[in-house]
Amino acid sequence: MTSDPYTYHEGFGNHFSSEALPDSLPKGQNTPQKCPYDLYAEQLSGTAFTAPRTHNQRTWLYRIRPSVVHSPFQPTENPLLTLQGESTPTQLRWSPFDISKEDEDFVQGLKTVSFAGEPSTGGGLAIHIYTATKSMDHKAFYNSDGDFLIVPQQGRLDITTEFGKMMVAPNEICVIPRGIRYSVALPDGPVRGYILEIFGQTHFEIPDLGPIGANGLANPRDFVTPKAAYTKENNVDWKIVTKFDNKLFIAEQNHTPFDVVAWHGNYVPYKYDLAKFCVINTVSYDHIDPSIFTVLTAKSPVPGVAIADFVIFPPRWAVSEHTFRPPYFHRNCMSEFMGLILGDYEGKTGGFSPGGASLHSPMTPHGPDTKAFEGAYNAELKPVRVGDNTQSFMFETSLLLKVTPWALRTCGKVQEDYWKAWANLEPKFNA
């Protein structure tokens, strides 16, 4: 992977001001009678006007033409983008999802794996796989239903947004909030990755640190947001695709949607390098709960209960004494969807590969497989590195996830023998 060619604003949750031309932001007000450079003022609201100031999110965009200049929307299809499915308590694991041999761009390559709730009520989430073999050509996409947290697994994404450009590589993530238009180019060829979508006006936050203190985990300064950049393309046909109530619609316009010369606000796209995560872990005994690895959370109205958490299992030291160090056997009130960006996962010794996934539903037992258990059960407990050259992650939710027909059957990637990972765990009881 080559270096990122773009520059960014730093910080999480900040109110940013960004100009591609000098003095292109109005001074002292948002909607002057005439904006600098005769730009149009347009507000993008990510929360209700009356949301508490601590959670209110909006941005003012100053653009060459307002985004309302387009033809009526017409329905278009992606049958694999669906909120139809069934629930199962069975542990599921998928081999790496195939990248299509056909030409498909980022939008055409969206495939839903699992979901809970639905967008029209503003509650719930969906988990998608994306694959693509070509760049979006004079096509922009925005999600009317919710925020996308995008986890590249293969290949960089060169993303042009209304706010500017960002390059997102494997072992980085980006979040593109609801309503923001963007286009995805592929500088390295075919791509694959994972998406966590949260519906409605709930947005991702960095978790509270409590007694950890003021620093640690995902530090705010390590999140970056694009700087204003614009193109001045007119009399060129563009297609604007939106996901609206989980259906795709398309409109046309004869100018670029990426004509924002300046903007200011706190409702923004951003990215984060997972290698910058500051790991917190035990230095005495016991395996600490995986919540210590939370990068981002989308809170529910119930304190301490998340609609969704994004959790990683990064490289780190394991030093705990007289302790079974891998993840413990567990039955959880949450749903756990895991993916693998690169390398191997410490709790499994085979079958869980980069580009694949697993799902453990509420109260369904799971834990280390037989070989991983035996290795840790008999290991010498000296300080060791864990997870070097690997990166696994988890989308965890308090909701019960249904699985789509494509994910259960059509994709052909479900490992029917996954249950055998635990079949040879024998009793060790010696009383």
Side-chain angles (χ1 to χ4, degrees):
M1 298 297 179
T2 58
S3 60
D4 190 333
Y6 306 127
T7 59
Y8 301 89
H9 301 287
E10 294 183 355
F12 187 91
N14 298 18
H15 185 112
F16 299 102
S17 294
S18 196
E19 295 179 321
L21 292 176
D23 299 319
S24 47
L25 282 174
K27 299 295 189 288
Q29 64 180 120
N30 294 319
T31 55
Q33 184 181 22
K34 292 185 178 180
C35 295
Y37 297 93
D38 288 322
L39 297 169
Y40 287 91
E42 178 179 287
Q43 183 173 205
L44 177 61
S45 296
T47 56
F49 293 140
T50 52
R53 183 168 288 224
T54 53
H55 289 80
N56 205 299
Q57 297 189 34
R58 58 88 180 94
T59 289
W60 281 96
L61 308 170
Y62 299 92
R63 57 194 317 149
I64 296 171
R65 297 178 88 173
S67 60
V68 72
V69 183
H70 60 76
S71 69
F73 283 97
Q74 302 296 329
T76 185
E77 288 196 3
N78 178 346
L80 299 183
L81 194 64
T82 178
L83 296 183
Q84 301 294 320
E86 58 191 84
S87 53
T88 174
T90 298
Q91 302 95 337
L92 294 174
R93 189 165 69 185
W94 291 269
S95 298
F97 296 98
D98 289 336
I99 299 174
S100 175
K101 294 182 173 60
E102 308 296 327
D103 277 352
E104 63 178 14
D105 62 28
F106 177 82
V107 178
Q108 295 166 328
L110 292 172
K111 307 165 188 71
T112 308
V113 175
S114 59
F115 64 93
E118 50 102 10
S120 65
T121 61
L125 60 84
I127 295 170
H128 313 282
I129 295 296
Y130 74 82
T131 61
T133 57
K134 68 176 182 178
S135 300
M136 294 170 64
D137 182 17
H138 287 84
K139 179 194 285 190
F141 173 73
Y142 70 97
N143 186 0
S144 298
D145 295 334
D147 295 3
F148 267 7
L149 188 161
I150 301 173
V151 185
Q153 185 274 316
Q154 176 179 317
R156 293 178 300 166
L157 304 180
D158 188 352
I159 304 177
T160 299
T161 78
E162 295 176 275
F163 292 70
K165 295 173 177 285
M166 56 184 176
M167 186 74 73
V168 188
N171 215 44
E172 296 181 320
I173 61 166
C174 71
V175 172
I176 303 183
R178 183 184 186 190
I180 293 175
R181 297 180 176 187
Y182 60 100
S183 186
V184 179
L186 313 182
D188 306 320
V191 297
R192 176 175 56 201
Y194 311 83
I195 297 174
L196 171 59
E197 177 185 12
I198 51 172
F199 302 145
Q201 294 186 40
T202 301
H203 303 292
F204 289 104
E205 306 173 32
I206 49 177
D208 297 324
L209 294 180
I212 291 174
N215 305 286
L217 307 187
N219 289 309
R221 68 174 296 187
D222 294 325
F223 290 83
V224 296
T225 288
K227 291 184 176 180
Y230 72 97
T231 54
K232 197 177 176 181
E233 193 176 58
N234 289 309
N235 300 315
V236 176
D237 291 336
W238 275 80
K239 297 184 186 300
I240 309 298
V241 182
T242 183
K243 189 172 85 70
F244 185 91
D245 198 17
N246 212 62
K247 301 177 182 66
L248 294 183
F249 294 83
I250 190 167
E252 296 182 351
Q253 61 187 55
N254 67 349
H255 60 281
T256 177
F258 305 119
D259 61 356
V260 176
V261 179
W263 58 267
H264 76 86
N266 64 348
Y267 190 59
V268 297
Y270 54 89
K271 76 166 194 169
Y272 175 74
D273 182 352
L274 301 180
K276 295 181 177 180
F277 188 80
C278 181
V279 181
I280 305 294
N281 207 349
T282 181
V283 292
S284 56
Y285 64 90
D286 276 357
H287 183 96
I288 306 301
D289 297 333
S291 48
I292 59 171
F293 301 131
T294 302
V295 178
L296 291 168
T297 185
K299 295 179 179 177
S300 80
V302 180
V305 178
I307 294 173
D309 286 329
F310 174 64
V311 179
I312 63 172
F313 302 96
R316 60 198 183 275
W317 281 96
V319 299
S320 52
E321 300 175 309
H322 44 85
T323 293
F324 183 78
R325 290 177 174 176
Y328 42 73
F329 294 103
H330 194 202
R331 290 180 293 163
N332 194 356
C333 60
M334 311 286 274
S335 298
E336 300 181 6
F337 178 94
M338 287 194 62
L340 187 58
I341 300 170
L342 69 156
D344 300 299
Y345 173 56
E346 63 193 276
K348 299 290 185 290
T349 54
F352 189 42
S353 302
S358 67
L359 175 63
H360 301 143
S361 295
M363 297 306 168
T364 292
H366 54 277
D369 63 24
T370 304
K371 188 174 179 181
F373 174 83
E374 292 294 342
Y377 187 75
N378 296 297
E380 180 184 357
L381 293 181
K382 58 184 180 180
V384 294
R385 292 287 298 171
V386 175
D388 284 335
N389 302 310
T390 74
Q391 188 63 266
S392 55
F393 70 88
M394 179 166 64
F395 300 150
E396 185 175 64
T397 174
S398 57
L399 306 177
L400 191 153
L401 296 174
K402 293 185 177 180
V403 185
T404 65
W406 175 81
L408 269 181
R409 288 177 283 276
T410 313
C411 75
K413 295 299 177 179
V414 172
Q415 297 178 7
E416 301 293 348
D417 62 350
Y418 181 36
W419 63 275
K420 295 180 181 179
W422 302 283
N424 293 325
L425 287 166
E426 298 291 342
K428 294 184 179 294
F429 186 61
N430 61 8

